[in-house]
Each structure stands twice: as C-alpha cells, then as structure tokens.
Amino acid sequence: MIICEDLLFSHGAKIQNYTSGEFIFEEGTEPKYYLQIKSGTVKLTSLLEDGREFIHGIPFEGHCIAETYLFNNKSYAINAIAITDCEIIKLEKSKLKDLLQKKPELIFNIYSYTADRMHYRYLTSASFMFQDPLTKLELVMNHMKNYFGFKEKYSFAVPYTRQQLASLTGLRIETVIRTIKKMEKLKIVKLDNSKIYF
C-alpha cells in the first residue's frame, strides 16, 4: 500500500466500486483524484492503430494508479480499466496536496513507487528492441518473478493470461501461444492446464 488507507479516509477519501470491464478513467480526461486500489486488478492501456490493445501495466491491491498525472496539468494519455471487480479509494487532488504538505514523508512513498514502476518500464521497453518473442516474454516474466521475490525454477505462477502477455509485449496472441509452447519444450516454463510456471 502506497499511502495508509486510514490516513486517506481521514483526509476525505471515498471508496468507489467498479465492475469488471468498467473504465476508471479514459484517455484525454482530466485527473481529479489520487486513486489507490483497495481490492481488485486494473489494466492501464492504450489502443493501437490496428485495434489491438497495448497494456502498460496491471496494478493490483495496494497500488496507486497514474499518480504522476496529479503533479502536472496534462490529461491522461492512457485508459484505466477494471480487470476484476474493484474497490478504488479516491482522494481529491487538492486534498492529496494538503495531505502531502502535512506529511511530506509520503512524497517519498509515492516517488519510490513511481521509480519502481519506471524501472519496470525501462526493462520491458527494452524488450521491443528484440525481434525474438521468446526473449521478450522471458524478460517480462523474469522481471515479474524478481518483483515478487521468487527464486526457484517454476516457483512463480505468471499472473497474466496469454492475451495479457501479448498486450504487455506488443506480440500477437497466436505468437504468444506458440512461444509459450516452445518455452515449455525448452524447459524454461512448466505448464499446468492454462497456468504458466516460470
């Protein structure tokens, strides 16, 4: 959790529920709230010219969403869509600024979270330099496995569907399916029904 929920509520935050598939915000709209996920999973997306979805990230419980937009005057350049039913804590932008002035140490929490996410972006954007789909998928899986602190081979259950992996890497779903099968033959991953273990 980036900011303690009790602290957010004591400064006027409210909970809003979203159902799976519902937009939390849309590209081009003005950021008005600090958004922190109390429960559920969200995807941050852009729609590509060919109609495919590109996923920038999949934050979940305890994470905040697009917090950097609260510190400039730009509209959202992405969409935030609930993957599962979600409870989102919303604190008005002006109230967040008041809270940060009272408790400036919270700025470090937000900045640390943003820095961690930027590190992920740099790692995964490097995958676009590679033509080989296996290299792209392995790079993303390695990062996730390290992020969650798993070390042993096949100990990490990849939390994304094949479609989500395609959207995260810019690959087509068919390419991801073929590549996962190839990774299984090479003993890079282990499959158990639809679950991928890395």
Side-chain angles (χ1 to χ4, degrees):
M1 155 182 356
I2 309 307
I3 299 177
C4 170
E5 291 178 3
D6 291 341
L7 197 54
L8 291 171
F9 292 130
S10 70
H11 283 78
K14 307 283 185 215
I15 288 186
Q16 185 163 346
N17 293 311
Y18 295 87
T19 58
S20 177
E22 189 175 355
F23 279 84
I24 296 162
F25 62 76
E26 292 185 64
E27 182 179 344
T29 59
E30 179 189 347
K32 295 180 179 177
Y33 299 95
Y34 170 79
L35 304 165
Q36 187 166 296
I37 304 170
K38 181 169 178 59
S39 67
T41 305
V42 173
K43 61 182 175 179
L44 304 175
T45 71
S46 294
L47 199 58
L48 303 177
E49 286 178 5
D50 62 3
R52 286 186 298 148
E53 178 182 62
F54 179 80
I55 297 179
H56 299 278
I58 303 181
F60 47 88
E61 184 178 324
H63 288 234
C64 56
I65 308 170
E67 72 293 340
T68 55
Y69 282 95
L70 297 173
F71 300 98
N72 64 30
N73 294 317
K74 295 182 173 31
S75 298
Y76 290 119
I78 54 174
N79 301 301
I81 304 168
I83 293 177
T84 63
D85 290 349
C86 293
E87 290 180 297
I88 306 292
I89 301 169
K90 298 174 75 170
L91 180 66
E92 290 176 24
K93 183 178 179 176
S94 61
K95 291 180 179 178
L96 174 71
K97 288 184 177 178
D98 291 343
L99 174 59
L100 295 178
Q101 286 175 344
K102 289 176 191 167
K103 296 194 168 288
E105 65 275 12
L106 294 175
I107 294 169
F108 179 78
N109 292 8
I110 293 172
Y111 191 79
S112 179
Y113 174 75
T114 304
D116 202 35
R117 213 178 58 248
M118 289 308 299
H119 175 69
Y120 167 76
R121 287 255 169 78
Y122 296 144
L123 281 174
T124 55
S125 64
S127 76
F128 290 101
M129 301 300 289
F130 300 108
Q131 295 300 313
D132 178 35
L134 193 148
T135 305
K136 287 184 179 194
L137 287 169
E138 195 169 14
L139 189 70
V140 169
M141 288 181 195
N142 258 322
H143 172 73
M144 288 186 292
K145 185 173 184 172
N146 291 333
Y147 176 83
F148 288 107
F150 288 86
K151 303 276 187 234
E152 300 299 315
K153 192 169 187 170
Y154 309 136
S155 61
F156 177 64
V158 177
Y160 302 140
T161 65
R162 283 150 180 81
Q163 180 60 62
Q164 289 167 340
L165 286 170
S167 297
L168 280 165
T169 56
L171 296 169
R172 295 203 175 277
I173 181 69
E174 300 83 7
T175 305
V176 169
I177 291 167
R178 278 195 310 273
T179 306
I180 296 292
K181 287 178 183 171
K182 182 178 178 182
M183 291 172 83
E184 181 186 31
K185 285 179 185 167
L186 294 171
K187 301 193 183 314
I188 297 170
V189 298
K190 186 170 82 173
L191 302 180
D192 183 10
N193 293 322
S194 63
K195 269 289 184 203
I196 304 165
Y197 291 90
F198 182 70

